[in-house]
Amino acid sequence: MDVVEADLEDRPRRSELALKASERAHQQRLAALTEDLTEELTTAGVTISDQSLPAHDGDARSLDRLRPNPEDEPRTELSAEDHASCPGHGAWIETDHHDEQGNQIPVAVYGCADFLAHGHALSYAPAGRADFTPVPTSTGTSDDDESSDDEQAAEQADEVAVARAAQAAAELERRKAAIIRKWVIQNNKDWDASATPRRQWLAALVQRSTAPKGARMLLPLPHGRRTKLTEELLGYDVDVSWWVTPDAYEKVYRALKQ
């Protein structure tokens, strides 16, 4: 068994070790960032809620699910700055977010601990209402009054149904966004963890005079052109010329062709 074949057999074990090492480093980095964010929120006097208190159901809601008060138009924004003086002001720390480079980061999601008690309203609740609870209609005694009450109740039910559907659609978009965020984070973690064993395998491969038995590979290397990857694989110093010599190119070519 030659060096490259042995390397191929050992690759799964090394890849697993690299994944574990990368995951440990990732968790340590995330824990440090979360600790910094926690300290920042605590210093600012913001109450931090744990995940046992949901942000989408019950008395507590995140601010992106609320509007300032029932009299505001549905979907009126309630910002963290405007809500800061509310007695129920607080935040959740969510870690399923990532920065522009795809690195997982903690984010403060601000909310209210009891939106009804503090005079707010659900963002999609019908105008003039804090939530989707039906407003009692007048109780008349005549047939005309009862008919009018029935019509009002039916209109109200339709209005609430439309508002609930809009809220459900918004919650679905939030869920989809969360799934995509987790997918991006996991893919980036897997890619980072695989970089080292992948480059080690390629570096070992191009040191051969012939390709391993059964290998059918193609290295995209324009004749004479040098790249950072070929520098690593061929052992050149990064600071030297960006052109490979013909003998170096032929070495790569011979190693990879059948």
Side-chain angles (χ1 to χ4, degrees):
M1 180 182 295
D2 61 29
V3 174
V4 173
E5 289 173 341
D7 180 79
L8 287 172
E9 288 194 358
D10 191 49
R11 190 178 183 188
R13 184 187 67 84
R14 291 189 291 107
S15 295
E16 183 180 356
L17 291 175
L19 281 170
K20 290 180 179 179
S22 177
E23 180 64 23
R24 283 195 300 271
H26 168 80
Q27 292 299 333
Q28 290 171 356
R29 173 183 172 277
L30 183 61
L33 290 174
T34 303
E35 184 178 350
D36 290 343
L37 180 57
T38 300
E39 182 178 353
E40 178 184 336
L41 293 173
T42 302
T43 301
V46 178
T47 301
I48 300 175
S49 300
D50 61 34
Q51 297 306 313
S52 65
L53 184 66
H56 64 279
D57 194 14
D59 296 332
R61 301 294 173 101
S62 59
L63 296 187
D64 61 345
R65 293 177 168 90
L66 300 175
R67 65 177 188 262
N69 58 70
E71 285 67 43
D72 288 317
E73 287 294 319
R75 301 185 65 181
T76 299
E77 180 184 4
L78 177 56
S79 68
E81 291 76 14
D82 293 337
H83 190 259
S85 61
C86 176
H89 188 62
W92 291 266
I93 295 180
E94 295 184 353
T95 58
D96 63 338
H97 295 260
H98 56 79
D99 58 19
E100 293 180 355
Q101 288 72 45
N103 300 311
Q104 188 174 6
I105 57 173
V107 171
V109 176
Y110 293 95
C112 187
D114 192 337
F115 75 95
L116 289 175
H118 298 302
H120 308 309
L122 294 176
S123 182
Y124 286 91
R129 303 184 202 176
D131 55 16
F132 300 115
T133 303
V135 177
T137 57
S138 61
T139 55
T141 55
S142 67
D143 291 342
D144 290 341
D145 288 336
E146 290 180 2
S147 177
S148 176
D149 290 346
D150 290 341
E151 291 177 0
Q152 290 179 21
E155 291 176 0
Q156 184 179 145
D158 290 342
E159 187 178 29
V160 169
V162 170
R164 283 187 180 278
Q167 177 176 270
E171 289 295 336
L172 178 61
E173 290 302 314
R174 288 189 184 91
R175 180 57 181 160
K176 287 166 59 177
I179 291 172
I180 291 173
R181 290 197 303 270
K182 290 180 180 179
W183 179 80
V184 169
I185 290 169
Q186 187 59 51
N187 277 352
N188 284 333
K189 288 164 60 177
D190 292 344
W191 176 262
D192 291 343
S194 68
T196 298
R198 186 171 61 249
R199 288 179 178 273
Q200 289 174 344
W201 184 86
L202 287 172
L205 177 65
V206 298
Q207 299 304 314
R208 292 172 52 90
S209 58
T210 59
K213 183 179 179 180
R216 297 183 180 278
M217 304 179 65
L218 177 63
L219 178 65
L221 180 65
H223 189 73
R225 183 62 177 165
R226 185 169 181 184
T227 67
K228 280 196 170 184
L229 179 58
T230 57
E231 284 179 356
E232 256 188 71
L233 297 180
L234 298 174
Y236 284 89
D237 191 315
V238 175
D239 295 329
V240 301
S241 168
W242 279 86
W243 297 90
V244 296
T245 60
D247 64 309
Y249 177 80
E250 291 302 325
K251 179 180 179 182
V252 176
Y253 178 75
R254 288 196 307 271
L256 296 181
K257 78 172 188 175
Q258 282 285 335

